[in-house]
């Protein structure tokens, strides 16, 4: 699909659908991505939320959504989406709702659920070719419970459960590849700091049927330790340094939607966040910094399109 | 037993304040409990933390309802019902508020019987980056008012509790805490260990039997969209973004797109209008506006400007 309603930044929505008054932190990159996504997705959607920060979006009797929202256990949001999709299909079959009353079923979870606990439920629904959209806001840790590490935590980052001088010893799981290996209709990475790229991808996802899965890197002032006002700058740096590749998988092909021609050094990104401060102070950890840069370089060396 | 409650916003270091004070009491030989209490809300939302300290083992549990000292790190919380800052305050409760307003103003406003003090140490703070130290200042002030904690114990407690943050952070916190401690030296001992409560006078509440209801009646269903707008998250703000409309070039609504909270509307003339009832003061708009048409002003100054 080459046709897009989003020709340039000026065609981005200037009014917004998501309500104000949510309990998410000031400067939350996840909320930023969600509000941009919701504008494109539209109000004919129903959200299925796994435990995480965004559970708090809809705390009775308050909701920022215009439609329904369902809360599931942390591992089960895709299964919840299956139930809702099936129910909607049955209602349509019985003639109890019209085609135009149908809803997009959206699973909304953090990375803890997406990269870890909920991965098997996701694998199951992709296998069953569920017609749904998955949005993972990836703040690279268990934000809601105090930023313990998750399967999405980057190498070297400090979390509540990786406090040593070298930070988290593991590596961020390649969830995009894991999802894409299931051959769903669509997989994409987005970030709120690149709203045009995001809008086009949500527009495309919306036009497709079957499992469509989106990962939004979500700068988290609380968990990553930075001034909330830097949230978008840090998001842009994640893209410009090549740490967060913007790409999509469709028709069996992975295509990068932004090829950084002159990649910024990764330290430019790392030094903005308290969770990486131990890489610079009290002593600069050249070895670890070099390794992190090398991994990013290796990734891009293998990219052709 | 001393019962002390700290009120602040998530991110202002109230949990740390309670830990510092608890450790300082402990170093003076007290039995101590300290605990933070926050609900489902996050940075910027009201939270409180509390400390109990006694010479004897502490049997009391749970949150402190009647405190001997209530420390309020952020005076904008006083009128917020959810913060419940004044819960249980009576003639024996000392209220210490970090505020630009005088203690006299607060006395008139609140009509409380107990002593009211303001925390002078933070009056000069306009820079948000300084705010994390308010926790240390609150702990230092509380230690001073108790009259039983020496400056050495306070300093040792800070070094213990903040040790992992490095020398510079410890030094800044020490300075804030010591200033607050010393500025209240004349009031040392103003806070007295409170009364003992006993289970004797406890009256069980009248129980109400609720009939069993079907799930479609009893389940918490929300029957309308956008109800979150009833929550005025504007009260979270410490800095206020102000648009200079002469500089705004009516771009592609950068500020409105990036505002995580959707608190910036674009009007018919394509100018941004900030919804101050809901803007949390993250200041992403200030950082992103291409012609730098949005600036940040300390909330209390902006509020005064609006009133005058
Ligand atoms: C099965 C289960 N284990 C643990 C929890 C506690 N818990 C609630 S939210 C959360 C963190 C979730 O992390 P993530 O999915 O990344 O979302 P975030 O909090 O970062 O938004 C955890 C561990 C839970 N609700 N359910
Ligand atoms: S902890 Fe992070 S992800 Fe969670 S609400 Fe706060 S900023 Fe957002
Ligand atoms: Mg997370």
């Amino acid at each position: 699909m080459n046709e897009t309603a989003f020709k340039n930044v000026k065609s981005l929505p200037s009014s917004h659908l998501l309500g104000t008054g949510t309990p998410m932190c000031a400067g939350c990159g996840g909320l930023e991505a969600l509000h941009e996504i919701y504008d494109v997705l539209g109000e004919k959607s129903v959200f299925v939320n796994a435990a995480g920060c965004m559970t708090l979006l809809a705390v009775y009797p308050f909701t920022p959504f215009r439609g329904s929202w369902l809360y599931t256990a942390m591992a089960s949001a895709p299964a919840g989406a299956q139930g809702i999709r099936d129910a909607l299909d049955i209602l349509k079959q019985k003639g109890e709702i019209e085609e135009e009353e149908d809803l997009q079923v959206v699973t909304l979870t953090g990375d803890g659920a997406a990269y870890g606990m909920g991965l098997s439920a996701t694998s199951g629904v992709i296998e069953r070719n569920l017609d749904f959209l998955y949005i993972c806001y990836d703040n690279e840790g268990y934000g809601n419970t105090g930023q313990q590490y998750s399967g999405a935590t980057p190498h070297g980052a400090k979390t509540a459960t990786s406090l040593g001088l070298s930070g988290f010893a593991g590596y961020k799981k390649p969830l995009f590849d894991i999802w894409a290996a299931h051959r769903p209709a669509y997989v994409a990475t987005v970030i709120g700091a690149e709203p045009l790229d995001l809008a086009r991808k949500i527009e495309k996802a919306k036009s497709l049927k079957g499992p469509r899965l989106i990962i939004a890197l979500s700068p988290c002032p609380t968990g990553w330790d930075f001034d909330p006002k830097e949230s978008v700058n840090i998001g842009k740096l994640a893209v410009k340094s090549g740490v967060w590749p913007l790409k999509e998988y469709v028709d069996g092909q992975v295509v990068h939607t932004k090829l950084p021609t002159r990649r910024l050094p990764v330290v430019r990104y790392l030094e903005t966040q308290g969770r990486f401060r131990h890489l610079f102070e009290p002593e600069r950890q050249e070895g670890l910094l070099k390794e992190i840069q090398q991994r990013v370089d290796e990734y891009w060396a293998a990219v052709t399109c | 037993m001393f019962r002390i409650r700290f009120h602040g916003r998530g991110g202002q270091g109230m949990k740390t304040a309670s830990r510092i004070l608890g450790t300082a009491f402990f170093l003076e030989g007290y039995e101590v409990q300290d605990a933070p209490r926050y609900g489902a809300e996050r940075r910027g939302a009201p939270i409180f933390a509390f400390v109990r300290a006694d010479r004897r083992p502490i049997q009391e549990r749970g949150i402190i309802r009647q405190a001997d000292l209530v420390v309020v790190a952020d005076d904008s919380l006083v009128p917020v019902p959810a913060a419940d800052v004044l819960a249980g305050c009576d003639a024996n409760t000392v209220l210490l508020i970090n505020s630009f307003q005088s203690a006299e103003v607060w006395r008139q406003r609140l009509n409380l019987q107990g002593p009211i003090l303001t925390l002078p140490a933070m009056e000069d703070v306009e820079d948000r980056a300084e705010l994390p130290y308010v926790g240390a200042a609150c702990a230092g002030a509380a230690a001073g008012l108790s009259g039983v904690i020496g400056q050495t114990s306070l300093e040792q407690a800070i070094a213990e509790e903040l040790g992992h943050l490095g020398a510079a952070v410890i030094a800044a916190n020490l300075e804030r805490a010591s200033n607050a401690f010393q500025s209240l030296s004349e009031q040392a001992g103003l806070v007295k260990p409170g009364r003992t409560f006993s289970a004797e006078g406890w009256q069980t509440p009248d129980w109400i039997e609720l009939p069993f209801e079907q799930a479609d009646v009893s389940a918490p269903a929300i029957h309308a969209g956008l109800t979150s707008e009833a929550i005025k998250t504007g009260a979270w703000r410490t800095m206020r973004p102000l648009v200079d409309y002469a500089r705004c070039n009516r771009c592609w609504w950068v500020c409105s797109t990036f505002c995580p909270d959707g608190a910036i509307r674009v009007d018919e003339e394509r100018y941004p209008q900030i919804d101050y009832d809901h803007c949390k003061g993250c200041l992403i708009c200030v950082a992103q506006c291409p012609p730098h048409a949005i600036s940040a002003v300390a909330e209390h100054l902006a509020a005064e400007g609006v009133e005058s």
Side-chain angles (χ1 to χ4, degrees), chain A residues 9-10 12-14 16-28 31-32 35-36 53 56 58-66 143-144 158 192-195 221-222 226-229 231-233 236, chain B residues 40-43 45 128-129 164-165 219-222 224-233 236 250-253 256-266 270 275 278 280-284 286-288:
Chain A
V9 285
K10 285 202 189 282
L12 289 172
S14 64
H16 309 298
L17 294 179
L18 194 71
T20 50
T22 63
M24 311 301 285
C25 303
C28 173
L31 188 64
E32 177 174 74
H35 109 89
E36 293 173 11
C53 290
L56 308 175
V59 176
Y60 180 80
F62 303 110
T63 177
F65 294 110
R66 289 166 189 253
N144 192 40
K158 178 177 131 187
E194 295 291 346
T222 312
F226 59 80
D227 185 326
K229 117 168 165 233
S231 205
V232 170
N233 286 339
K236 287 182 177 166
Chain B
E41 280 162 310
R42 325 205 56 77
R43 191 184 264 216
R128 284 148 45 93
H164 60 288
L165 296 174
I222 304 176
L226 304 184
T227 48
S228 62
E229 302 200 335
I231 299 185
K232 306 286 187 242
T233 44
W236 295 20
R250 301 190 289 169
C251 66
W252 55 274
W253 31 89
S256 174
T257 300
F258 285 137
C259 172
D261 287 275
I264 306 182
R265 185 174 67 82
V266 181
R270 298 184 22 232
D275 167 3
H278 295 102
K280 293 171 184 164
C282 70
L283 306 184
I284 289 176
V286 174
Q288 296 305 320

Side-chain angles (χ1 to χ4, degrees), chain B residues 288-299:
Chain B
Q288 296 305 320
C289 171
H292 306 291
I294 312 180
S295 56
V297 181
E299 186 58 30

Side-chain angles (χ1 to χ4, degrees), chain B residues 227-248:
Chain B
T227 48
S228 62
E229 302 200 335
I231 299 185
K232 306 286 187 242
T233 44
W236 295 20
R237 214 166 46 234
T238 55
M239 298 289 282
R240 181 185 297 196
L242 289 175
V243 182
D244 175 354
Y245 289 102
R247 282 180 95 157
C248 166

Side-chain angles (χ1 to χ4, degrees), chain A residues 18 22-24 30-31 34 45-60 62-65 67-84 104-114 118 121 132-138 144, chain B residues 222:
Chain A
L18 194 71
T22 63
M24 311 301 285
L31 188 64
L34 179 66
S45 44
V46 43
F47 285 81
V48 192
N49 213 151
C53 290
M54 291 217 186
T55 313
L56 308 175
L57 285 177
V59 176
Y60 180 80
F62 303 110
T63 177
F65 294 110
S68 292
W69 175 91
L70 179 87
Y71 176 48
T72 69
M74 207 173 145
S76 317
Q82 176 92 53
I84 296 178
Q104 283 275 353
V105 182
V106 186
T107 290
L108 177 65
T109 82
D111 50 286
F132 86 126
L133 187 70
Y134 192 134
I135 297 164
C136 163
Y137 61 98
D138 180 358
N144 192 40
Chain B
I222 304 176

